Amino acid sequence: MNSETTSLVEAKSAREEWTAYLAFLKRPALPARAAGFGQSSLAATLRLLALDLSVMGTLILLAIMAISGGFVPPSNALAELDWNMLTIIGVVVLAPVLEELGFRSWLSGRPGALVSLPLAIAGIAAFQALNGQSSLLAAGLLIAAVLGAVIAAVLLRKKHAYRWFGALFPALFWLSTAAFALVHLLNYTEGSLAMLLPLVIPQFISGSIFGFARVQYGLWSSILLHMLHNGALVLVVVTAGKLGG
């Protein structure tokens, strides 16, 4: 059951944290156990946020330069959103939670995560398939699946990561990161694949940072980091909209 894992090395500064992240990217390895929530882990998460925002800020400046030079970005569904409070909550809170559960909760390689995620997905799929035809049955299947996922996660929480998962972790990490980036292609309503792929590079980079946070410090860390990331971008969009208006 035990996977081939590495020991967690706690960074003491932003420079050490960012260096650890870059070293992780060169050779992704699953720690024996995530550090879990604590003052030092929270500080580490904020250091990763600083890295994430620095990279995003640089990419935004490059995009502004490209647009000033004549580049016309393809239409994006997010640009059509009405930025009311409900939309902001969805983007800043709901989307990060669901995306982290779907793309990175299972990166621990532990039986609880690998069993509970498919159960939750099956429940959501059943709900969507049956809703409208048999709402009561759909709701029952969804509740049963979610409860099963929670029970599995609790009962199996002390189990170690699978050995095979540790061996395949580098490929699984990059698969998760790439899938997270590619799903954001759905935000665009026009443009060829060759044109759109470079536009999801920001999500690919952020996804790698979120993934590093998830395996080093826990799922709470990647969710918080993702929320703060989205919150910062929403702040920029809303502020720019007000200034432009």
Side-chain angles (χ1 to χ4, degrees):
M1 181 75 73
N2 292 344
S3 64
E4 295 178 0
T5 57
T6 61
S7 59
L8 183 68
V9 178
E10 183 179 344
K12 302 297 184 182
S13 66
R15 181 177 180 180
E16 289 182 4
E17 192 75 50
W18 299 357
T19 300
Y21 160 71
L22 293 175
F24 175 86
L25 294 188
K26 291 179 180 179
R27 189 176 180 181
L30 186 63
R33 182 178 292 274
F37 182 78
Q39 185 175 352
S40 60
S41 297
L42 180 58
T45 301
L46 295 178
R47 288 194 289 263
L48 290 173
L49 175 65
L51 172 63
D52 175 64
L53 295 183
S54 296
V55 174
M56 292 305 108
T58 301
L59 293 176
I60 288 173
L61 288 176
L62 291 175
I64 292 174
M65 292 171 61
I67 293 173
S68 299
F71 173 71
V72 179
S75 298
N76 190 312
L78 295 179
E80 307 300 324
L81 289 178
D82 178 17
W83 290 103
N84 53 42
M85 185 55 64
L86 187 60
T87 301
I88 292 174
I89 291 174
V91 172
V92 176
V93 179
L94 184 59
V97 170
L98 293 178
E99 289 180 349
E100 291 307 308
L101 287 174
F103 289 103
R104 280 173 280 274
S105 64
W106 51 274
L107 279 179
S108 66
R110 296 178 179 277
L114 297 179
V115 171
S116 61
L117 180 60
L119 282 174
I121 292 175
I124 294 172
F127 179 80
Q128 291 180 334
L130 295 175
N131 197 20
Q133 303 176 29
S134 179
S135 297
L136 184 60
L137 176 60
L141 289 174
L142 176 61
I143 293 172
V146 171
L147 284 176
V150 172
I151 291 172
V154 171
L155 292 179
L156 300 174
R157 68 186 184 280
K158 294 184 179 180
K159 297 291 185 180
H160 294 289
Y162 288 107
R163 184 179 297 276
W164 61 264
F165 193 95
L168 294 175
F169 179 76
L172 294 172
F173 172 81
W174 289 118
L175 176 64
S176 166
T177 303
F180 174 72
L182 292 174
V183 78
H184 286 84
L185 289 173
L186 298 176
N187 291 340
Y188 294 95
T189 56
E190 63 178 5
S192 65
L193 184 61
M195 173 188 290
L196 296 180
L197 279 178
L199 300 182
V200 296
I201 289 176
Q203 286 86 356
F204 185 84
I205 296 173
S206 290
S208 70
I209 297 175
F210 300 160
F212 174 75
R214 191 271 173 270
V215 299
Q216 294 293 319
Y217 305 111
L219 185 60
W220 70 268
S221 178
S222 64
I223 291 176
L224 176 60
L225 188 56
H226 198 157
M227 286 181 175
L228 294 173
H229 168 94
N230 281 16
L233 294 182
V234 167
L235 181 62
V236 171
V237 170
V238 172
T239 301
K242 289 182 176 179
L243 292 176

